[in-house]
């Protein structure tokens, strides 16, 4: 790392770890400065945690490879508190930007993680690739991810964040699936803009979690994913979770589990004022879905987490089976203000689509064809 005034320049060392040089750049130029990580190959062998950035512009043109020392990362990745998750890299502060110029590549050696995880759930210590934490007034653009360790990105306790032109891909080439390689999850954050992303992942593409508000998502293409998701929320049940004012528009989902959906635990709080607009998809398991008791599919009608004022507008494409929508709202807090227009979903193998609905407003504009059982699963394995 070399410093000239307020500019810190990092070049590849050819060593087994470039993280110290990058951390030194953050220390010397992270306040009222510029950081340039020039083209070349860098190895990251240690966690990077920087929470005091201020008026800093970061330029990355190189390839950053996180090494595959699984035991190191399991022991040392940085806790982000949510559901015992942790991260390999955490950035926070005010007024900073990260520009990848379409050249920055973050490679997580994910295959090693997918193989050792063996299709299990959320392994403690398995690190999220990149986390914004207590970050305010942030711009991120032009970065590519390949084979992340876990979630690609996490935005927590942050405000006024714009993330544009990001390319993400987690694909396993072995018998083991990627498991939980979300594109992004927001939590305890507000005023977030996501535009022009392409995501291939084995889980939620864009997931809006508890206490997120004023989220705008536009022009995102998702492959092999859960596409546009609110949740999951309401766990633990003793802590209310809120999501308000979210717009997803101009979205494409290809061969995905769901397209435009909401998942909660039987908890407290609310989801209010969410719009899914211009969602087009091909071969999606169950495009429209609401569950108040995700994963356990029990105590479904005890949930007091209210879902209201949700709009689905111009939702078009093919479903894998004959269910276009499975909506079960809790009888303890029925859904109100659901609105549907321009819904054109056809089963890919022909026949008529079913729209299953329970405990929701009757003036939604959706032509419900039957009731939806409380324990209706998120993913189906055949026609209903």
């Amino acid at each position: 790392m070399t410093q000239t005034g307020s500019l810190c320049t990092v070049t590849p060392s050819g060593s087994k770890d470039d993280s110290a040089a990058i951390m030194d750049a953050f220390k010397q130029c992270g306040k009222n400065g510029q950081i340039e990580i020039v083209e070349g190959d860098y190895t990251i062998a240690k966690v990077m945690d920087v929470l005091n950035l201020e008026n800093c512009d970061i330029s990355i043109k190189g390839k950053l490879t996180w090494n595959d020392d699984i035991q190191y990362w399991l022991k040392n990745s940085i806790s982000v508190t949510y559901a015992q998750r942790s991260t390999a890299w955490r950035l926070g502060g005010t007024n900073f930007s990260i520009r990848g110029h379409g050249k920055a590549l973050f490679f997580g050696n994910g295959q090693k993680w997918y193989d050792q995880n063996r299709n299990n759930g959320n392994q403690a210590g398995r690190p999220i690739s990149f986390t914004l934490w207590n970050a305010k007034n942030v711009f991120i653009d032009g970065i590519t991810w390949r084979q992340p360790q876990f979630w690609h990105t996490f935005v927590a306790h942050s405000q006024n964040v714009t993330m544009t032109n990001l390319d993400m891909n987690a694909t396993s080439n072995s018998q083991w699936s990627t498991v939980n390689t979300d594109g992004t999850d927001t939590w305890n954050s507000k005023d977030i803009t996501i535009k022009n992303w392409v995501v291939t992942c084995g889980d939620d593409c864009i997931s809006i979690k508890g206490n997120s508000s004023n989220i705008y998502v536009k022009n995102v293409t998702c492959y092999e994913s859960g596409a546009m998701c609110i949740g999951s929320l309401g766990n633990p049940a003793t802590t209310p979770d809120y999501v308000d004012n979210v717009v997803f528009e101009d979205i494409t989902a290809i061969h995905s589990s769901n397209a435009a959906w909401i998942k909660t635990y039987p908890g407290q709080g609310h989801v209010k004022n969410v719009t899914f607009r211009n969602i087009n998809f091909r071969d999606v398991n169950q495009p429209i879905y609401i569950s108040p008791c995700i994963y356990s599919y029990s105590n479904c009608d005890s949930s007091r987490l209210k879902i209201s004022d949700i709009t689905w507008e111009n939702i078009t494409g093919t479903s894998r089976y004959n269910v276009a929508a499975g909506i079960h709202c809790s009888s303890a807090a029925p859904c109100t203000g659901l609105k549907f227009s321009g819904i054109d979903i056809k089963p890919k193998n022909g026949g008529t689509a079913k729209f299953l609905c329970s405990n929701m407003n009757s003036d939604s504009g959706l032509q419900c064809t039957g009731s939806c059982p409380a324990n209706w699963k998120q993913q189906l394995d055949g026609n209903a």
Side-chain angles (χ1 to χ4, degrees):
M1 196 282 285
T2 57
Q3 183 176 359
T4 308
S6 62
L7 170 65
C8 288
T9 303
V10 182
T11 53
S13 66
S15 73
K16 291 182 177 178
D17 188 17
D18 292 287
S19 66
I22 294 172
M23 287 295 289
D24 193 28
F26 282 123
K27 183 177 179 182
Q28 303 301 331
C29 296
K31 287 190 178 176
N32 304 311
Q34 288 176 273
I35 296 167
E36 290 193 4
I37 300 175
V38 304
E39 291 187 43
D41 292 338
Y42 301 81
T43 299
I44 310 299
K46 291 192 172 67
V47 295
M48 297 192 292
D49 197 16
V50 182
L51 297 179
N52 58 352
L53 291 171
E54 190 178 327
N55 305 322
C56 180
D57 290 313
I58 302 157
S59 168
I60 304 176
K61 293 181 180 175
K63 175 184 179 182
L64 277 57
T65 296
W66 278 260
N67 79 357
D68 60 2
D69 183 350
I70 302 278
Q71 292 310 312
Y72 168 82
W73 295 106
L74 289 176
K75 291 188 184 106
N76 294 283
S77 58
I78 305 151
S79 171
V80 293
T81 64
Y82 175 82
Q84 298 180 298
R85 302 287 198 275
S86 58
T87 190
W89 189 10
R90 185 168 66 164
L91 288 183
T94 57
N95 305 327
F96 64 92
S97 66
I98 306 175
R99 287 175 171 83
H101 314 279
K103 294 181 177 181
L105 174 60
F106 295 173
F107 182 75
N109 260 307
Q111 192 66 52
K112 290 286 181 73
W113 288 96
Y114 316 151
D115 290 349
Q116 64 86 37
N117 188 51
R118 298 186 171 219
N119 289 358
N120 286 310
N122 300 312
Q123 181 181 22
R126 183 179 166 191
I128 296 163
S129 172
F130 176 80
T131 296
L132 289 175
W133 182 270
N134 281 329
K136 189 173 183 181
N137 307 334
V138 178
F139 177 70
I140 296 178
D141 179 80
I143 299 170
T144 296
W145 275 260
R146 290 293 180 265
Q147 303 301 82
Q149 307 92 311
F150 193 57
W151 293 354
H152 292 77
T153 59
F154 184 38
V155 180
H157 301 293
S158 294
Q159 180 178 2
N160 192 27
V161 174
T162 296
M163 304 169 77
T164 55
N165 302 305
L166 303 185
D167 180 335
M168 303 175 173
N169 192 312
T171 304
S172 176
N173 57 26
S174 75
Q175 72 192 80
W176 307 110
S177 62
T178 58
V179 184
N180 232 328
T181 46
D182 299 16
T184 197
D185 295 76
T186 71
W187 181 58
N188 286 302
S189 294
K190 62 184 179 181
D191 308 323
I192 312 296
T193 297
I194 290 169
K195 289 172 77 171
N196 307 333
W197 289 25
V198 177
V199 181
T200 301
C201 70
D203 210 316
D204 301 334
C205 182
I206 310 289
S207 175
I208 309 303
K209 298 197 184 301
N211 307 312
S212 297
S213 61
N214 305 337
I215 315 287
Y216 181 59
V217 180
K218 181 181 174 70
N219 193 30
V220 176
T221 299
C222 306
Y223 297 88
E224 311 294 332
S225 76
M228 301 299 110
C229 178
I230 303 290
S232 39
L233 313 172
N235 186 31
T238 51
T239 306
D241 266 340
Y242 302 98
V243 168
D244 293 275
N245 309 329
V246 180
V247 174
F248 302 100
E249 67 178 359
D250 303 335
I251 306 298
T252 301
I254 308 295
H255 197 257
S256 295
S257 61
N258 308 88
W261 60 299
I262 299 171
K263 55 177 175 176
T264 82
Y265 292 92
Q268 304 177 62
H270 70 238
V271 176
K272 188 172 185 180
N273 195 25
V274 175
T275 297
F276 300 97
R277 179 188 297 126
N278 302 339
I279 315 283
N280 181 260
F281 50 87
R282 188 168 75 240
D283 191 11
V284 165
N285 185 302
Q286 188 167 209
I288 297 171
Y289 181 73
I290 293 180
S291 174
C293 51
I294 198 68
Y295 307 128
S296 74
Y297 303 107
S298 58
N299 301 316
C300 304
D301 287 315
S302 68
S303 179
R304 297 190 174 278
L305 203 154
K306 172 84 170 173
I307 298 171
S308 66
D309 302 326
I310 316 294
T311 298
W312 288 262
E313 180 184 330
N314 297 336
I315 313 295
T316 60
T318 56
S319 56
R320 192 162 306 158
Y321 305 114
N322 66 348
V323 178
I327 299 171
H328 184 94
C329 301
S330 170
S331 61
C335 295
T336 58
L338 305 192
K339 294 178 191 160
F340 296 84
S341 64
I343 309 298
D344 184 5
I345 301 172
K346 293 180 171 64
K348 71 171 188 175
N349 294 322
T352 304
K354 295 186 177 186
F355 295 86
L356 308 179
C357 320
S358 294
N359 304 320
M360 58 175 266
N361 53 297
S362 59
D363 61 351
S364 71
L366 188 67
Q367 300 297 314
C368 296
T369 59
S371 63
C372 185
N375 63 348
W376 193 249
K377 298 287 198 296
Q378 173 208 340
Q379 294 192 57
L380 308 174
D381 52 17
N383 284 337

